[in-house]
Amino acid sequence: MTRVETQDRRQQAPRRSLTRRLWRAAPPGLRQPLGLVAALVAAAWLVICLIGPVIAPHDPLAQELPRFTPPGEIAFLGTDELGRDLLSRILAGARVTIGLSLLLVCLSMLIGSVLGLLAGFFGRWVDETIMRFTDLVLAFPTVILAMVTAAALGASLFNAVLAALVVSWPPYARVVRSIVLGLRGNDFVFSGRLLGFSAARSIRVDILPNTLGPTLVLASLDIGTAALLLSGLSFLGLGAKPPTPEWGSMVSAAVSHFDKWWLGVFPGLAILTVVMSFNFIGDALRDALDPGVERR
Amino acid sequence: MSGRAPVIAARDLEVTYPGHPPVHAVRGVSFELFRGEVVGLVGESGCGKSTIAKVLTGLVRPAAGEVEYHGRPVRPLGVGRRPLAQTGIQMVFQDPGSSLNPRRPVGAQIQDGLDLAAKRARRSGRRSGAGPVGEPPADPANVRRVIGQPADAAVSPTAARLLPAGSPGRWLERVGLEAADQSRYPRSFSGGQRQRIATARALAAEPDVLIGDEPISALDASTQAKVAYLMSRLALSQGAVLLFISHDLSVVRLIADRLLVMWAGRIVESGPTEAVWSNPGHPYTKVLLGAIPAPDGAGRLPLVPPSAAAFDAPPVIHAP
């Protein structure tokens, strides 16, 4: 692009509308229609997490409506086998499912990053010990291991998160370790060591900030998986106990009333939209943080 | 120069990298570097130049021999913190793309060097930044003049004396950038600018040995001489010895007092720059000099590599 063209563009800039400027400022991934829709859906769910119980038309636990009312005037999304309002339960359940998924992802990221940093930075026997243990956990089928752990701990939401945590940290450890191995050979890490950085300082200043981007991408992709895993455990009766409004256990309860389609479809749609929107956001973040991709 | 004690000395260094078969990168290299001199270490890619730099700083452990810094052996860098006494050896690396942390403002990175200098000064009970930093060296014979290159060409004309001597902004001005640049990130600087910032970072630590490991090889021709000249000027003004490693004799010649020519892990020729340049004795040095392209339009190809017999040729040492 020549200098003249650049100047022309600058002169046009003030005439651009606000939405157009916001659009241009957004990360490239969000500038695709799919990314934008995903961001809006995810934002809506996060708002519902905060204010869900307030905007719910009914108490999610109150059994005050006719049982098995189909979606309509009495209840927008219908009622369940105990006469509870489905819409209110879904709104209240957002806090449980999404909140716990976020908690789970944060904890996995924390544990995985610490182990990955230690393994990658110190190498040798530290690396061998940590990574063989990681391989050991990865060798088990995820859901089975989580089920066994949850069953052993006893059914409760807290135990479900713990059980999910047992299986969800290894990918973080592996990703962080591989990034650290790449970073460790970088000249700026050497020159930090030459300037007398301790191992802790080197990790904090030179290594950790450079692992955050890819780790956050993995985390945002993982929120959907975490929501599925937690819902799955609840579906199997290993997570939320009645009457807690949790989406997975709502789907589970719907199985025994298969002809009342709304009981399963709406909580299922809630899970689907959360998982998909966070997946698209993860893709968008990956595109935005990938240094190889230039902003256009 | 034998009357003075060397600042840093390599004694019979041997370095082997594991592999099948193992790579014998350095085969018995010895040299001494003295305060206030610029020494060029030249040779082709893979001759062991960078390995020497890494051994001198302790980043690589030699298989045999040792490095003495002020008469005490340099301990190879392990997992722990580098001994404070050895932090007087600093290095500017080859790749401008990775010599600075991309996620930190350059000012903070230069501050690391300043912090180290302050810490060493506290330990030894003297004030840091007291030296005649940034001033022209007292002995003009120490600096080889670059033709058509005024001494302060790379230094910003607005070099403000208002900033304290030991501030990142002041250091940026010393290397020809602006004090306001300190809050910017490495990605907004060019390769040459990044190498200057890396030089500032290393020199802010007030080293008495500065090693430049091919610091200019990734830069374009017009920037190369500028950065090389800047490094030698600033290093000398601090009273440091500069070991400048390069494959490009034509630039090294401009700044170096003394040359060490390295080939296949050995030093094959050493001596004052002019002596080596005008009267090369070893077959390999002749090839290296012949490989410098001349802008005479003749379009000659470099000479053929030296024959195997050159391996047996004894090292040539020019008297100082």
Side-chain angles (χ1 to χ4, degrees):
Chain A
M1 185 195 302
T2 64
R3 187 173 289 265
V4 180
E5 276 176 275
T6 320
Q7 280 173 351
D8 281 349
R9 277 173 168 236
R10 287 218 186 98
Q11 281 162 4
Q12 283 167 10
R15 265 182 271 154
R16 233 186 267 134
S17 68
L18 180 68
T19 45
R20 179 99 189 117
R21 267 182 284 156
L22 277 179
W23 182 253
R24 288 187 68 86
L30 290 185
R31 276 190 260 145
Q32 302 152 4
L34 215 54
L36 195 66
V37 170
L40 291 177
V41 171
W45 275 123
L46 289 178
V47 170
I48 289 172
C49 278
L50 294 176
I51 61 164
V54 181
I55 56 169
H58 296 274
D59 180 348
L61 303 182
Q63 307 173 10
E64 57 192 15
L65 298 171
R67 302 167 61 221
F68 294 126
T69 317
E73 277 176 35
I74 300 174
F76 185 61
L77 296 182
T79 63
D80 65 5
E81 73 277 15
L82 296 174
R84 295 173 297 193
D85 178 40
L86 208 57
L87 175 63
S88 305
R89 285 182 69 73
I90 289 176
L91 291 178
R95 185 175 284 186
V96 180
T97 303
I98 299 176
L100 288 181
S101 304
L102 288 175
L103 177 73
L104 172 61
V105 166
C106 289
L107 288 176
S108 327
M109 197 163 88
L110 188 72
I111 295 175
S113 295
V114 169
L115 290 176
L117 280 170
L118 293 177
F121 191 83
F122 291 106
R124 296 168 185 257
W125 64 268
V126 181
D127 187 22
E128 283 298 315
T129 313
I130 293 178
M131 292 326 287
R132 293 302 77 77
F133 180 62
T134 310
D135 289 344
L136 187 74
V137 176
L138 278 172
F140 288 102
T142 317
V143 179
I144 308 280
L145 184 58
M147 273 170 56
V148 171
T149 318
L153 291 171
S156 82
L157 264 179
F158 178 73
N159 286 346
V161 173
L162 272 187
L165 189 58
V166 167
V167 296
S168 59
W169 62 267
Y172 293 91
R174 290 175 65 97
V175 164
V176 170
R177 171 182 173 269
S178 69
I179 301 169
V180 173
L181 284 182
L183 284 170
R184 208 175 54 167
N186 260 310
D187 291 343
F188 66 82
V189 178
F190 286 137
S191 79
R193 301 303 311 279
L194 291 185
L195 287 170
F197 283 13
S198 63
R201 176 120 194 259
S202 195
I203 289 177
R204 199 182 69 237
V205 169
D206 282 338
I207 305 273
L208 183 62
N210 287 295
T211 65
L212 278 184
T215 317
L216 280 177
V217 171
L218 182 64
S220 58
L221 286 170
D222 209 32
I223 289 174
T225 320
L228 276 182
L229 186 58
L230 285 177
S231 299
L233 288 176
S234 294
F235 177 85
L236 295 168
L238 296 168
K241 276 196 243 172
T244 313
E246 202 282 332
W247 297 346
S249 47
M250 287 163 73
V251 175
S252 172
V255 171
S256 41
H257 307 283
F258 215 72
D259 52 333
K260 315 290 187 295
W261 57 271
W262 59 92
L263 290 183
V265 165
F266 293 118
L269 275 178
I271 297 173
L272 179 78
T273 50
V274 166
V275 172
M276 280 187 71
S277 62
F278 278 103
N279 265 316
F280 282 125
I281 289 179
D283 282 344
L285 266 181
R286 187 181 52 207
D287 292 348
L289 290 173
D290 187 350
V293 181
E294 285 287 319
R295 283 191 179 199
R296 268 185 287 272
Chain B
M1 297 197 184
S2 53
R4 292 187 286 159
V7 178
I8 191 166
R11 309 244 185 254
D12 305 313
L13 289 181
E14 304 259 349
V15 180
T16 315
Y17 289 120
H20 301 287
V23 181
H24 211 157
V26 174
R27 306 155 183 260
V29 164
S30 299
F31 57 83
E32 297 183 330
L33 304 178
F34 297 89
R35 187 179 154 84
E37 68 173 348
V38 176
V39 177
L41 178 62
V42 293
E44 64 194 10
S45 314
C47 73
K49 305 183 303 272
S50 292
T51 302
I52 295 274
K54 292 208 168 100
V55 174
L56 290 182
T57 50
L59 288 174
V60 165
R61 180 188 293 272
E66 67 173 9
V67 175
E68 277 181 14
Y69 175 60
H70 290 299
R72 302 176 68 174
V74 167
R75 210 171 72 196
L77 190 64
V79 167
R81 191 195 296 262
R82 200 171 178 224
L84 195 63
Q86 285 171 26
T87 53
I89 312 170
Q90 290 298 329
M91 180 156 155
V92 177
F93 291 86
Q94 175 172 9
D95 178 11
S98 80
S99 59
L100 295 170
N101 185 343
R103 305 249 173 222
R104 292 176 77 204
V106 296
Q109 304 195 46
I110 294 175
Q111 187 62 47
D112 292 337
L114 292 167
D115 290 346
L116 173 62
K119 193 173 168 190
R120 248 200 346 261
R122 271 201 306 279
R123 185 69 61 89
S124 65
R126 81 183 162 82
R127 206 160 57 85
S128 84
V133 171
E135 305 304 325
D139 181 7
N142 271 344
V143 180
R144 307 179 66 81
R145 268 156 294 281
V146 181
I147 314 298
Q149 185 79 58
D152 282 332
V155 176
S156 157
T158 58
R161 301 281 158 183
L162 298 172
L163 291 165
S167 73
R170 187 80 182 80
W171 267 106
L172 282 172
E173 288 180 346
R174 252 176 227 141
V175 296
L177 299 164
E178 292 185 11
D181 289 338
Q182 58 180 301
S183 55
R184 292 165 70 195
Y185 287 83
R187 63 168 174 269
S188 52
F189 295 96
S190 70
Q193 289 172 328
R194 280 184 216 169
Q195 290 304 70
R196 288 197 231 165
I197 295 165
T199 306
R201 184 188 201 203
L203 282 173
E206 298 183 13
D208 52 7
V209 177
L210 180 67
I211 301 166
D213 180 15
E214 300 243 21
I216 56 169
S217 62
L219 308 180
D220 62 72
S222 64
T223 322
Q224 282 188 344
K226 253 185 229 169
V227 173
Y229 186 74
L230 181 83
M231 278 185 77
S232 73
R233 194 175 59 81
L234 287 176
L236 288 174
S237 71
Q238 288 202 346
V241 44
L242 172 64
L243 179 66
F244 196 90
I245 300 176
S246 178
H247 61 270
D248 190 352
L249 246 178
S250 56
V251 175
V252 175
R253 185 176 77 100
L254 299 174
I255 58 164
D257 304 308
R258 203 149 62 87
L259 285 182
L260 303 169
V261 182
M262 203 169 165
W263 182 45
R266 294 188 183 88
I267 289 182
V268 295
E269 185 154 359
S270 64
T273 307
E274 276 315 314
V276 175
W277 180 263
S278 55
N279 188 22
H282 194 274
Y284 175 72
T285 314
K286 290 176 184 167
V287 171
L288 198 64
L289 286 170
I292 297 173
D296 56 4
R300 281 168 312 204
L301 284 170
L303 296 176
V304 288
S307 62
F311 271 111
D312 301 325
V316 179
I317 301 165
H318 298 265

